[in-house]
């Protein structure tokens, strides 16, 4: 049982300003596993005030090398706690331990290391020659960042925001969701042990009200949000009203396009991860599988066999592939989609029920629908559970058209033995992230969506730019000499 009485505000554990608590339940056992203070608007105020002091003071003016030293200590302290962080994430979220370790937590440290290096290499000031003389271009931290993350990987998703923000010299107030506050609190412990300077990082868990207070706060300069498109639109409206920029990393309904020449066994094997990672609660999961009509039945048989072979159960068992869904409500919601698929005439190939061998926990069997039409609800809406729709296409043009016929544009993949051809085809797909014969993303390449999947970027230099503002300074005659040694364009 993880019981905590304090909140991490401004770099210190402090008494919360309300006596509300968040109870955390294991999705696998339905038992109470933790109790932490729920942040209140007053706690957010304290965090933002402290963040403002840091960004207007020493932290905002620190050198990239000074920030690199802080981030290196933070990374070290996170590494020391990695087993505990993985355990907390598996306990509170129900994601299988093998995937949390491999896909979730390890690469997060790579993200911090990447941004530490990138910030050190950043040209913070450069001189440009123009028709009116010379200008100095300066990159400065954008200021106080409000970072809101969902439950399907709360702490790694927080790292994706605070690593570039802190490397850029910003201070960050993170709001984890009420479902999974335990692993973000361990992240805060690592920051405290690393001596992250006062005000630079706060972690204030809470629900929609606390999140909205953070987003609306006049002391917040930039909002970085990961979550649903419904909440993303509300946040965009609030930030639009305040004329503050946002990064919005939202949902998806991604398609895997299986081409005529794709190898059946390796494609189906690979798609297990694309479609069912994180119990199907993945923003970029391939939940629509587009297959040539000529290969539909053969593919459905192989994919159904793969799905029904995935081990469902205790997320701490290293051989488990599918753990429980986050909550009873989410399990019921997913079952509602399964019901709608049957009702709208799709063929239920496998799954669709609660596993008979598990008496407790919010589990749903890995589910496959075939003969799905792209107009059905299961093909259009983000289900966020282990439910996959197989859709037949007649030719590649139709495959691309079906893939693009979605309100979302986050991920996707193409499976073929002709990589050059798959790569050429990927240019026609309107999504931000694609993979050829694979799945995933990495710290060096921008991560973000088109259409309802979001605005702005995480990862890559594009992710660092989100946390930098520009200043343009015309250099009068007297200032030429001082800037003579700066890079010139
Ligand atoms: P959600 O939008 O309900 O909640 C996300 C976060 O926003 C939570 O911390 C929540 O407490 C907070 N929140 C809710 N209402 C708010 C409001 N009015 N103002 C401010 N904050 C508010 O999403 P969820 O159900 O927790 O997460 C699942 C969603 O996240 C899915 O749509 C998934 O695709 C998306 N997601 C996207 C990415 C990505 O990188 N694109 C990654 C992971 C998850």
């Amino acid at each position: 049982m993880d019981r905590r009485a304090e909140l991490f505000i401004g770099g210190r554990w402090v008494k919360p300003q309300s006596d509300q608590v968040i109870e955390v339940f294991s999705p696998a056992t339905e038992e109470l596993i933790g109790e932490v203070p729920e942040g209140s608007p007053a706690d957010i105020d304290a965090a933002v005030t402290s963040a403002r002091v840091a960004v207007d003071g020493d932290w905002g003016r620190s050198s990239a090398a000074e920030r690199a030293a802080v981030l290196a200590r933070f990374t070290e302290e996170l590494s020391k706690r990695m087993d505990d962080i993985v355990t907390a994430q598996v306990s509170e979220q129900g994601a299988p331990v093998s995937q949390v370790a491999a896909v979730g937590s390890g690469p997060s440290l790579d993200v911090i290391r990447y941004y530490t290096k990138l910030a050190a290499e950043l040209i913070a000031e450069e001189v440009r020659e123009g028709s009116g003389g010379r200008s100095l271009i300066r990159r400065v931290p954008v200021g106080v960042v409000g970072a809101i993350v969902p439950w399907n990987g709360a702490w790694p998703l927080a790292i994706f925001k605070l690593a570039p923000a802190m490397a850029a010299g910003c201070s960050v107030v993170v709001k984890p969701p009420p479902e999974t506050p335990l692993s973000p609190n361990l992240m805060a412990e690592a920051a405290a042990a690393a001596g992250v300077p006062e005000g630079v990082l706060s972690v204030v868990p809470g629900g929609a009200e606390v999140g909205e207070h953070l987003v609306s706060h006049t002391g917040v300069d930039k909002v970085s949000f990961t979550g649903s498109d419904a909440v993303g639109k509300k946040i965009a409206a609030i930030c639009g009203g305040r004329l503050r920029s946002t990064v919005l990393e939202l949902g998806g309904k991604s398609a895997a396009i299986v081409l005529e020449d794709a190898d059946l066994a390796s494609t189906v094997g690979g798609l297990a991860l694309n479609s069912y990672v994180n119990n199907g609660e993945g923003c970029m999961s391939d939940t629509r599988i587009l297959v040539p009509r000529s290969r539909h039945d053969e593919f459905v048989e192989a994919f159904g066999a793969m799905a029904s072979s995935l081990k469902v159960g205790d997320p701490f068992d290293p051989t488990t592939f599918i753990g429980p869904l986050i909550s009873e409500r989410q399990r019921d919601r997913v079952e509602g989609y399964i019901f709608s698929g049957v009702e709208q005439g799709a063929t239920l190939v496998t799954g669709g029920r609660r596993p008979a061998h598990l008496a407790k926990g919010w589990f749903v069997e890995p589910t496959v629908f075939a003969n799905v039409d792209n107009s059905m609800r299961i093909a259009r809406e983000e289900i966020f559970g282990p439910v996959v729709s197989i859709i037949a296409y007649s030719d590649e043009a139709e495959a691309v058209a079906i893939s693009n016929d979605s309100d979302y544009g986050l991920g996707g993949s193409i499976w073929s033995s002709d990589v050059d051809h798959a790569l050429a085809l990927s240019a026609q797909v309107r999504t931000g992230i694609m993979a050829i014969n694979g799945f995933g993303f990495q710290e060096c390449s921008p991560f973000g969506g088109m259409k309802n999947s979001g605005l702005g970027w995480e990862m890559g230099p594009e992710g660092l730019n989100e946390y930098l503002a520009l200043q343009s300074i015309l250099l009068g005659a007297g200032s030429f000499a001082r800037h003579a040694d700066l890079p010139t364009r």
Side-chain angles (χ1 to χ4, degrees):
M1 177 83 171
D2 184 343
R3 264 211 182 86
R4 203 179 281 270
E6 294 176 315
L7 288 172
F8 187 72
I9 292 185
R12 266 180 279 155
W13 291 98
V14 300
K15 201 170 163 311
Q17 301 198 31
S18 106
D19 55 7
Q20 297 295 307
V21 295
I22 297 173
E23 291 184 324
V24 185
F25 292 90
S26 155
T29 65
E30 303 178 28
E31 281 161 13
L32 185 68
I33 54 167
E35 220 172 67
V36 302
E38 180 172 7
S40 65
D43 294 309
I44 292 284
D45 292 344
V48 172
T49 302
S50 167
R52 181 91 263 150
V53 172
V55 88
D56 288 346
D58 290 348
W59 180 254
R61 289 187 215 116
S62 61
S63 66
E66 287 165 331
R67 296 194 295 274
V70 170
L71 285 165
R73 291 199 305 272
F74 183 37
T75 310
E76 201 183 315
E77 294 298 334
L78 281 169
S79 291
K80 284 187 204 162
R81 289 164 179 77
M82 195 52 77
D83 287 350
D84 291 345
I85 294 174
V86 168
T87 300
Q89 191 183 340
V90 175
S91 305
E92 64 189 348
Q93 190 194 323
V97 68
S98 57
Q99 295 171 19
V100 169
V103 182
S105 300
S108 305
L109 302 187
D110 293 337
V111 172
I112 307 181
R113 292 188 191 103
Y114 172 77
Y115 278 115
T116 305
K117 187 164 175 286
L118 204 65
E121 290 164 359
L122 180 82
I123 298 174
E125 292 188 343
E126 65 178 274
V127 171
R128 293 184 196 166
E129 301 271 6
S131 55
R134 306 176 103 193
S135 284
L136 176 74
I137 316 304
R138 183 181 282 151
R139 287 168 184 83
V140 296
V142 80
V144 174
V145 175
I148 298 184
V149 289
W151 45 258
N152 70 327
W155 90 269
L157 293 167
I159 292 284
F160 296 173
K161 301 178 186 310
L162 64 84
M166 284 172 62
C170 296
S171 48
V172 189
V173 178
V174 179
K175 191 212 73 70
E179 293 87 350
T180 59
L182 306 180
S183 51
N185 273 336
L186 290 173
M187 179 185 78
E189 260 183 20
V196 169
E198 200 170 325
V200 173
L201 182 64
S202 295
V203 178
V204 187
E209 187 203 353
V210 177
E212 206 158 317
H213 188 72
L214 178 62
V215 171
S216 320
H217 204 293
T218 51
V220 170
D221 299 299
K222 174 115 193 180
V223 171
S224 181
F225 171 77
T226 301
S228 63
D229 56 319
V231 175
K233 283 176 189 164
K234 281 191 197 169
I235 288 177
I238 294 170
C239 290
R242 297 186 50 232
L243 288 176
R244 293 294 183 275
S245 74
T246 53
V247 179
L248 299 171
E249 299 290 348
L250 310 177
K253 192 72 199 176
S254 305
I257 302 178
V258 180
L259 296 184
E260 194 77 51
D261 65 355
D263 174 68
L264 185 68
S266 58
T267 300
V268 168
L271 282 171
L273 196 64
N274 293 43
S275 300
Y276 293 113
V277 71
N278 222 14
N279 310 332
E281 296 166 314
C283 55
M284 58 183 283
S285 301
D286 288 338
T287 51
R288 295 181 296 153
I289 314 279
L290 315 187
V291 297
R293 205 169 295 283
S294 58
R295 297 189 66 186
H296 179 265
D297 294 353
E298 164 201 21
F299 186 87
V300 166
E301 194 185 332
F303 195 90
M306 174 278 287
S308 56
S309 75
L310 298 176
K311 186 168 173 185
V312 185
D314 177 6
F316 280 103
D317 178 341
T319 63
T320 291
F321 204 92
I322 307 265
L325 298 178
I326 187 71
S327 63
E328 189 173 11
R329 186 167 152 261
Q330 183 66 9
R331 193 260 320 266
D332 294 352
R333 194 172 161 269
V334 170
E335 287 179 336
Y337 276 110
I338 293 170
F339 182 75
S340 88
V342 173
E343 203 179 40
Q344 292 192 307
T347 308
L348 182 62
V349 177
T350 186
R353 291 163 308 189
R354 300 176 190 182
H357 68 288
L358 296 164
K360 287 264 179 201
W362 301 307
F363 293 91
V364 172
E365 291 173 340
T367 300
V368 181
F369 280 106
N371 298 307
V372 176
D373 187 277
N374 200 47
S375 64
M376 292 176 183
R377 279 186 68 210
I378 52 170
R380 301 213 73 79
E381 297 176 25
E382 188 181 43
I383 299 174
F384 234 51
V387 182
V388 169
S389 294
I390 300 178
I391 304 173
Y393 68 82
S394 302
D395 56 26
E396 285 181 8
E398 193 190 9
V400 170
I402 297 171
S403 169
N404 290 341
D405 178 16
S406 172
D407 294 337
Y408 295 103
L410 188 58
S413 58
I414 301 181
W415 298 78
S416 170
S417 36
D418 183 345
V419 171
D420 289 340
H421 179 64
L423 204 51
L425 197 66
S426 68
Q428 297 177 39
V429 177
R430 299 281 300 154
T431 71
I433 312 151
M434 288 289 291
I436 309 295
N437 298 329
F439 176 71
F441 60 92
Q442 49 182 342
E443 69 283 353
C444 63
S445 64
F447 183 103
M450 296 183 188
K451 300 188 267 184
N452 285 9
S453 292
L455 289 173
W457 300 102
E458 288 188 332
M459 310 293 161
E462 297 79 4
L464 183 63
N465 281 339
E466 296 284 0
Y467 299 102
L468 291 166
L470 290 174
Q471 256 189 332
S472 216
I473 302 159
L474 188 78
L475 297 177
S479 53
F480 282 13
R482 198 168 85 69
H483 295 290
D485 55 346
L486 285 175
T488 310
R489 258 191 217 167

